Amino acid sequence: MLEFPTWNKVWLWVVTLLCVAAALPSLFNVANLPWPRFLPDPEINLGLDLAGGSHILLEADESQVEQQRLENMEESVRGRLRLAEPRIRIGDISSANGRLSFMLKDPSQVDAARDEILPLTTGAGLTGQRDWDIRVEDGSRFVLTPTREGLDQAVSNAMDSAIEVVRKRIDALGTREPTIIRQGENRIVVQVPGLDDPQALKSLLGQTAKLEFKLVDESATPSDVAQGIAPPGDEIVPWADPSSPGAGGVPVIAVKRLGGIKGDQLTNAKQSFDQQNNSPVVSITFDQTGGAKFAKLTSENINKRLAIILDGKVLSAPSINEPILGGSAQISGSFSVQSATQLAISLRSGALPVDLTVVEERTVGPDLGADSIRKGLIAMGIGSLLVVLLMMLTYGRFGVYATIALVFNVLMILGIMAVMGTTLTLPGIAGFVLTIGAAVDANVLIYERMREERKKGRRVIAAVENGYKEASRAIYDANITNFIAGVLLFAFGSGPVRGFAVVLIIGLFTSVFTGVMLTRMWVANWLRKARPTELNV
């Protein structure tokens, strides 16, 4: 017990002081004191319930995923059969009733067509089912039907992609520690602490940012288009602003449904100004593949109009006067500087694979969070005071050691949370209060074991050594059990539950470190110097 190597003391104090130093910036911030700029400043991020902010629940439209799959499959089928050797000719493809069907012009090519189409289907996860069912009816008609397993996997993939896009957009706003989690099959919960403008967040997340470039069908009759009648192979798209010069007062326009370019191959998008009229615009840059496609499209369609479509609405339809070979373009419309900036952020982050609708919104004011912090600190202070008084009155000198260890325990939790960049929530403060009570459990077990050893007639040093040795087994067993519970809470919980679990898990390690290791070092130092003949514990 008395032999405590120097290296052991050094690493215990180094770990302790480093964690305490990491907690200082957060303490300075709470006390509204300036922290030196030249020093590192890891701080604990406050959760939505403490810092205030915005809570938004987004819901995805599953039917849109199904429609997108139909369109993608139709384009893929056309491309595969057109490039087949020999070419496989088909009639018009119908997408009625949520399935694709087409007729082969040469029934003898049924097997060849199946061989070309089959690679376009894949297995749906681990279900053993394919994502598309292929049937041949009447000897020459192909019918492609999406399976339930394939649709479920597509929705799941779309939601995973949507979460990443949402995260990129929120990070572009400069906010810290947003909580973005999936809820159920088609919902996403977004919590952004400290956000001053929740309306801007709603506008940013509600925008799909699906950018498309499609050729305008100049042969379409304006009267038919106005009535919603489109020529074969066309689709009717509304203007975002019917009063714009390009719209000519007509609310809709006919564009070619296939053969355009999607904006998923952008490398950059930024807000800028038109050099002619100084109006806000969005400048975009394609990657190498997208730039080559854009150059080919503009080269082959000189003097034709190209519609720039964002989220199903035409922003503008300028005429292609010359090939655009630089891989860059400019999106104009009725933009303000703010709306152009938001669109640029959305395009840089990528298009949402599915529309997200705000179905629930809550805003938490900072005053409520400040009140929660104040009450939490009061509860922590009262709890700490009662624990300190109980330990000192009951165990004397050893109670003082337990109290000092408790202070270090709280500071170490704060420091570790700051370094890890974790978020402190209101349940996390409850976890702190719980940790204060639980942190001294180890010392109580050790000190009570010392008393028992002294009653058995053991000498002071032997009683202390056996007290730490025997009690440590129960301490480790109890903390391992709590650690498993904390991990399960973190793995399967969400939001506030995770906030509680984080403090609980960190507190388990720090309480053992301070309550067992640090106090053992202090007690050993006292025994070596004082050589007491009696143990007042």
Side-chain angles (χ1 to χ4, degrees), residues 57-132:
L57 179 62
L58 304 169
E59 185 176 61
D61 184 5
E62 294 186 15
S63 62
Q64 190 181 40
V65 177
E66 185 174 4
Q67 183 61 35
Q68 289 176 355
R69 293 186 72 222
L70 287 172
E71 293 179 0
N72 293 337
M73 179 58 78
E74 178 182 351
E75 193 164 354
S76 298
V77 168
R78 287 184 182 275
R80 293 281 300 201
L81 298 184
R82 183 173 60 251
L83 297 176
E85 290 293 342
R87 180 174 179 177
I88 301 174
R89 299 184 179 276
I90 62 174
D92 291 334
I93 297 181
S94 171
S95 58
N97 301 322
R99 61 181 188 175
L100 295 177
S101 63
F102 58 89
M103 183 81 72
L104 293 181
K105 293 186 176 181
D106 184 359
S108 65
Q109 294 181 308
V110 168
D111 292 337
R114 179 186 289 274
D115 291 340
E116 292 291 338
I117 297 174
L118 191 60
L120 298 177
T121 67
T122 58
L126 302 177
T127 63
Q129 302 291 326
R130 300 192 75 83
D131 56 351
W132 289 83

Side-chain angles (χ1 to χ4, degrees), residues 289-507:
T289 303
K293 290 182 179 179
F294 196 68
K296 180 180 179 182
L297 179 66
T298 54
S299 299
E300 295 176 351
N301 296 277
I302 300 295
N303 296 325
K304 294 182 180 179
R305 297 172 68 196
L306 184 66
I308 303 176
I309 305 172
L310 178 68
D311 293 343
K313 295 184 178 180
V314 178
L315 296 179
S316 60
S319 178
I320 304 174
N321 297 323
E322 58 185 10
I324 303 176
L325 306 178
S328 60
Q330 184 175 284
I331 303 174
S332 60
S334 301
F335 292 130
S336 63
V337 173
Q338 182 179 5
S339 62
T341 302
Q342 288 185 350
L343 175 58
I345 291 175
S346 299
L347 294 177
R348 285 199 306 270
S349 304
L352 287 170
V354 62
D355 289 341
L356 296 177
T357 305
V358 178
V359 295
E360 180 185 338
E361 176 190 1
R362 295 200 307 269
T363 301
V364 180
D367 294 339
L368 180 60
D371 185 60
S372 299
I373 296 175
R374 181 178 60 82
K375 291 182 178 179
L377 291 176
I378 291 174
M380 187 182 300
I382 295 175
S384 300
L385 180 61
L386 293 177
V387 169
V388 167
L389 290 176
L390 177 64
M391 293 300 293
M392 287 186 174
L393 292 176
T394 305
Y395 300 108
R397 170 185 290 273
F398 294 93
V400 174
Y401 292 150
T403 299
I404 298 174
L406 180 63
V407 174
F408 278 124
N409 181 37
V410 173
L411 293 175
M412 289 183 70
I413 294 176
L414 291 174
I416 294 173
M417 290 183 67
V419 172
M420 294 176 60
T422 56
T423 300
L424 179 63
T425 60
L426 187 58
I429 293 181
F432 262 107
V433 177
L434 178 63
T435 301
I436 290 173
V440 296
D441 283 351
N443 298 109
V444 172
L445 289 174
I446 294 170
Y447 300 158
E448 289 299 326
R449 185 70 188 202
M450 290 180 186
R451 285 179 174 178
E452 293 179 3
E453 295 295 327
R454 284 294 291 162
K455 289 179 181 180
K456 293 179 181 179
R458 294 186 185 276
R459 295 184 178 183
V460 172
I461 295 178
V464 173
E465 186 172 4
N466 284 346
Y468 273 95
K469 181 178 179 181
E470 299 299 329
S472 295
R473 299 175 183 174
I475 293 170
Y476 291 136
D477 289 344
N479 280 279
I480 289 173
T481 303
N482 289 333
F483 175 76
I484 294 173
V487 170
L488 293 176
L489 285 174
F490 184 84
F492 298 103
S494 61
V497 177
R498 281 193 162 193
F500 176 82
V502 167
V503 177
L504 175 64
I505 293 173
I506 296 176

